[in-house]
Structures are given as structure tokens and as C-alpha cells.
């Protein structure tokens, strides 16, 4: 299932996915990387849609990005 959050909340969620030592800069880089891959895109009413990714898929993107 896709995730729908406003940008500040999406950054918090992505930081959580990175891990306990995540920095705001790392979360922003992950946000940008997901947008470039078409996995995160604007939706309606200021929300962004994050495609449904498996934990392994997200981990692979985090490893390349961070």
C-alpha cells in the first residue's frame, strides 16, 4: 500500500526508515532520490505519495543514497 504524507511528515518517515542516527540532510537526499526514481510524487491537497516498496527495495535505495 502506498504512503500519503505531507512533505515534513514524509521527511520524518524517511528519517525513521534510514535509522536512529539519520540526519535531516540524509532524509532530504533520500526524498530527492525517490522523486528522481518516480517512487515519490506529488498527489492531492499537498500530500505526496510514496510507492509501496518492500523493505529490501527501500534499503537498497537508502544504501545507494546515503
Amino acid at each position: 500500500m502506498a504512503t500519503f504524507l505531507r512533505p515534513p511528515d514524509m521527511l520524518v518517515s524517511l528519517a525513521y526508515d534510514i535509522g536512529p542516527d539519520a540526519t535531516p540532510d540524509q532524509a532530504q537526499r533520500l526524498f530527492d532520490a525517490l522523486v528522481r526514481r518516480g517512487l515519490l510524487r506529488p498527489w492531492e491537497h499537498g500530500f505526496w505519495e510514496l510507492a509501496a516498496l518492500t523493505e529490501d527495495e527501500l534499503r537498497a535505495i537508502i544504501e545507494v543514497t546515503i
Side-chain angles (χ1 to χ4, degrees):
M1 175 187 250
T3 301
F4 298 90
L5 295 170
R6 293 188 188 280
D9 297 325
M10 187 64 75
L11 287 172
V12 170
S13 177
L14 293 174
Y16 178 81
D17 290 334
I18 292 169
D21 297 327
T23 65
D25 183 57
Q26 289 173 322
Q28 183 65 55
R29 287 197 317 258
L30 179 56
F31 184 99
D32 294 343
L34 291 166
V35 169
R36 284 191 302 274
R37 288 173 171 81
L39 299 170
L40 180 62
R41 58 182 175 227
W43 193 59
E44 296 178 359
H45 308 291
F47 285 88
W48 282 68
E49 176 187 12
L50 176 61
L53 299 169
T54 67
E55 186 174 332
D56 290 339
E57 291 170 327
L58 184 57
R59 280 276 139 223
I61 295 168
I62 289 170
E63 288 177 16
V64 170
T65 304
I66 305 304

